[in-house]
Amino acid sequence: MTVRVAINGYGTIGKRVADAVTKQPDLELVGVTKTRPSFEGLRAQEKGYPLYIAGAGKAADFAAAGLAVAGTSNDLFRKVDVVVDASPDKVGRENRKLYEAVGVRAIFQGGEKADIAEVSFNALGNYPAGHGRQYVRVVSCNTTGLARAAAVLRSAWGVDHWEATLVRRGADPAESKKGPINGILPTFDLPSHHGPDVRTIFPDLSIATTALIVPTTLMHVHVNHVRLTQAPRDAAEVLDTFRRSPRFHVFAPWEHVDGTPQVMEYARDRGIGFNDMMENVLWEEGLRLDGRDLYFFQAIHQESIVVPENIDAIRSMFDLARDGAESIAKTDRALGLTRA
Ligand code: NAD
């Protein structure tokens, strides 16, 4: 069975998910939407992705730019089994009305509140939750990073309580109108919304989060303190467990990766897709164990971490894999996410 996929909202997340869909043997990219002409629309055309007009977009504007369009987003929605909605925060809720009208299934992103969908999704955390659903939400970049780590730690040793501080990037690299460009902005939402969002995946997880926004565009960094239920043998065992888990990349000290600049330099060197780093990034030196108390840093590439999760969400909805492990392995093989 091949599932036909549309991408509605061809921006940071949408264009990455579109490329990822084309790499999967069991998925077919039928088209992508743009609200107005842009270089991204041109790139879609150059890649051979049929372009459809979304929202209040005007056919005359696309014609003037020399971009061929195959119809409106509604035309596209009628041709597919599922729409991946990667429109800006809160726009997905408006779009859901369009999906309901056509009767097409949809995946929403983490910028939408959890109640937009029947379930929130993370491949390592709750893969079966998407089965047979009409609407699924892939949780945000930060929540995905926390949920992946929670899945690993819970299954190995159990988690009694988790405290995390999220050092969040101020903007994505292409966002020239966002900031701050100087200063550190505490999020006066204490504890922050990320903890409850992780509980949309693990309802019984005891987790409290706080957040700060800083002037960087590369990645987020999480500072974690986890009280485990059982003590691991030593830190090496914890590192090994993360290393053996899909979607984790652990840097050794000899690699000289001091922080997010070198992580993204590694990603550029590796050259997957948009030079993305879709794994949770940990450092050997950035993990300490004291009995049941685990301390570790993890870096999250906000622009790409949810890309494989969107692919697995489709597989879960349409029952295309035996279980999460099979889907994750298939996705990661196709995307070139192999553990070093
Ligand atoms: P973006 O602004 O880069 O892209 C959104 C795209 O949707 C743009 O091309 C925009 O023109 C288009 N669009 C606007 N109105 C539309 C409409 N009515 N219908 C269809 N398309 C429309 O945004 P993004 O960063 O890709 O974020 C998309 C979603 O993914 C949001 O929910 C966001 O919270 C979530 N997300 C973003 C990141 C990130 O760091 N960028 C990480 C994880 C999740």
Side-chain angles (χ1 to χ4, degrees), residues 8-14 33-36 40 54-55 85-91 95 109-112 139-141 169 172 175 220 302-303 306:
N8 192 27
Y10 193 71
T12 307
I13 301 297
T33 71
K34 286 298 294 175
T35 53
R36 56 173 192 188
E40 281 162 331
D85 187 295
S87 62
D89 293 3
K90 318 287 182 274
V91 177
N95 287 343
Q109 307 303 315
E112 305 301 327
V139 291
S140 73
C141 46
R169 59 92 179 96
D172 288 342
E175 290 179 314
H220 306 297
Q302 73 280 353
E303 295 178 281
V306 298

